[in-house]
């Protein structure tokens, strides 16, 4: 994910932002659906297909974690959900609407209901922290500066960065940049938040703090039945924040279940009737080179 993607997400239609719908509980509703979706890149012998006929429903109000080895389509899946990539086959639905049937204006409206925390934070270096957090609100057409700055201050306080509005991103540590990026992501109180490797490059203590922050953010937006989708390699984070974990390998889902499933398969001995899926999950959770998952040096 890049800053260019962020600008695409922030683009509106030039009108005032549409107010969110009335807060009525819609838990259980499918907010994101992938129906037999495939996506590849390149051609001939160099063509790769990180996503192959992937079908997935994400229910409102839940936290879905996507794990799997590098190159198995996790970040591509997030881009497909946002309409930043078009599938080669299959359909992507958001809030019950088919993305391929949406106009650019409708796509902009859909994206304003979602937010992305990018892998590297993707803060604009030339903007202050406060300007970064205000960016999505201004992009959506908000013109009341007092309202903007009030929300900026509140979001920075929520992520543990009070009083940092005038700092530049270069003055922040890696963990602080992640927090500032999260403050920007939740500035517009989105219905869906997508986290792309939120703990990459952080030490275990800071990674745990980011996991706590994901939980706190989910709780603080529970009145909107916020849905969280987290891509990560960090099993501690995955097991801590997830309601459901899916594992991707070879472009498809090879594991699907609650955190307890992954925790149990990572401990003790496998039963004699263990499936190939069980062995894949165990290998990934334990970080072992030997097993059914093929690694490339």
């Amino acid at each position: 994910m890049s800053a260019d993607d962020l600008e695409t997400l922030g683009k509106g239609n030039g009108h005032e932002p549409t107010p969110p719908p009335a807060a009525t509980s819609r838990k259980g509703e499918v907010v994101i659906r992938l129906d037999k979706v495939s996506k590849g890149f390149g051609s001939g012998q160099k063509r790769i297909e990180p996503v192959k006929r992937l079908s997935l429903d994400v229910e409102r109000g839940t936290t879905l974690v996507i794990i799997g080895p590098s190159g198995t389509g996790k970040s591509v899946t997030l881009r497909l959900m946002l309409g930043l990539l078009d599938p080669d086959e299959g359909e992507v639905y958001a809030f019950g609407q088919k993305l391929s049937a949406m106009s650019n204006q409708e796509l902009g409206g859909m994206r304003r209901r979602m937010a992305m925390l990018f892998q590297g934070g993707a803060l604009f270096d030339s903007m202050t922290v406060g300007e970064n957090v205000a960016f999505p609100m201004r992009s959506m057409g908000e013109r009341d500066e007092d309202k903007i700055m009030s929300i900026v201050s509140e979001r920075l306080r929520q992520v543990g960065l009070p009083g940092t509005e005038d700092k530049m991103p270069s003055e922040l540590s890696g963990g602080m940049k992640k927090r500032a990026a999260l403050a920007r992501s939740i500035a517009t109180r989105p219905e869906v938040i997508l986290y792309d490797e939120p703990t990459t490059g952080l030490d275990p203590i800071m990674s745990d703090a980011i996991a706590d922050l994901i939980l706190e953010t989910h709780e603080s937006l529970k009145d909107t039945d916020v849905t969280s989708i987290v891509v990560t390699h960090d099993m501690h984070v995955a097991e801590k924040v997830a309601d459901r974990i899916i594992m991707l390998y070879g472009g498809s889902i090879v594991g699907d279940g609650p955190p307890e499933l992954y925790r149990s398969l990572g401990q003790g001995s496998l039963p004699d009737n263990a499936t190939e899926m069980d062995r894949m999950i165990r290998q990934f959770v334990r970080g072992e080179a030997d097993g059914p998952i093929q690694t490339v040096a």
Side-chain angles (χ1 to χ4, degrees):
M1 291 288 178
S2 65
D4 289 338
D5 289 334
L6 178 62
E7 291 197 74
T8 300
L9 292 175
K11 287 177 180 175
N13 57 15
H15 302 298
E16 289 297 308
T18 302
T24 57
S25 181
R26 292 165 286 171
K27 283 190 176 180
E29 170 192 342
V30 174
V31 289
I32 304 290
R33 169 169 287 162
L34 277 62
D35 183 18
K36 299 177 182 176
V37 168
S38 297
K39 182 64 182 178
F41 303 93
S43 60
Q45 292 184 339
K46 293 185 178 180
R47 181 172 175 78
I48 60 171
E49 195 172 27
V51 176
K52 299 177 182 178
R53 294 184 63 79
L54 178 63
S55 292
L56 172 66
D57 285 353
V58 184
E59 293 186 357
R60 183 181 294 277
T62 62
T63 297
L64 171 72
V65 172
I66 305 175
I67 63 170
S70 297
T72 54
K74 300 185 299 299
S75 293
V76 171
T77 298
L78 292 189
R79 291 189 183 198
L80 288 165
M81 290 176 175
L82 282 163
L84 295 175
L85 290 174
D86 296 324
D88 299 328
E89 297 178 0
E91 295 289 350
V92 180
Y93 299 81
F95 308 106
Q97 302 297 311
K98 187 186 298 185
L99 266 58
S100 63
M102 289 183 182
S103 65
N104 288 337
Q105 182 173 329
E106 289 169 332
L107 277 171
M110 179 275 292
R111 289 170 181 150
R112 287 195 294 273
R113 299 172 69 180
M114 303 170 74
M116 167 68 79
L117 179 63
F118 297 90
Q119 187 172 142
L123 296 175
F124 294 109
D125 293 337
S126 60
M127 294 182 181
T128 65
V129 170
E131 289 168 341
N132 267 282
V133 177
F135 175 82
M137 289 182 282
R138 290 177 174 144
S139 295
M140 287 170 57
E142 180 60 63
R143 296 292 178 262
D144 186 335
E145 285 299 314
D146 288 340
K147 178 180 178 181
I148 289 173
M149 295 318 297
S150 175
I151 293 173
V152 167
S153 177
E154 173 60 18
R155 297 296 177 262
L156 287 171
R157 184 196 63 77
Q158 280 184 279
V159 300
L161 293 176
T164 57
E165 287 89 337
D166 295 330
K167 289 185 177 295
M168 300 300 293
S170 60
E171 299 178 72
L172 305 181
S173 67
M176 293 172 73
K177 287 179 181 178
K178 296 275 188 180
R179 287 173 175 266
L182 180 55
R184 179 179 63 193
S185 296
I186 63 175
T188 56
R189 294 186 65 79
E191 295 175 58
V192 178
I193 307 177
L194 302 100
Y195 300 83
D196 190 10
E197 296 285 3
T199 60
T200 294
L202 301 181
D203 62 64
I205 294 174
M206 183 53 66
S207 293
D208 188 60
I210 294 296
D212 285 340
L213 195 57
I214 292 172
L215 291 170
E216 291 164 9
T217 301
H218 197 85
E219 177 66 18
S220 71
L221 296 174
K222 67 179 181 181
D223 60 316
T224 66
D225 290 331
V226 67
T227 304
S228 301
I229 304 170
V230 184
V231 162
T232 186
H233 288 96
D234 190 325
M235 285 308 302
H236 171 74
V237 171
E239 292 178 4
K240 187 167 187 173
V241 306
D243 296 309
R244 173 190 178 195
I245 302 174
I246 64 169
M247 180 171 164
L248 299 183
Y249 179 62
S252 303
I253 295 175
V254 297
D256 188 348
E260 292 76 21
L261 169 68
Y262 294 80
R263 194 176 297 118
S264 63
L265 287 171
Q267 301 169 353
S269 301
L270 281 174
D272 293 337
N273 63 348
T275 66
E276 188 78 349
M277 182 191 81
D278 294 337
R279 297 181 190 280
M280 285 184 177
I281 292 175
R282 180 181 176 84
Q283 180 186 354
F284 184 82
V285 170
R286 293 166 68 103
E288 297 175 339
D290 294 330
I293 296 175
Q294 301 297 308
T295 59
V296 179

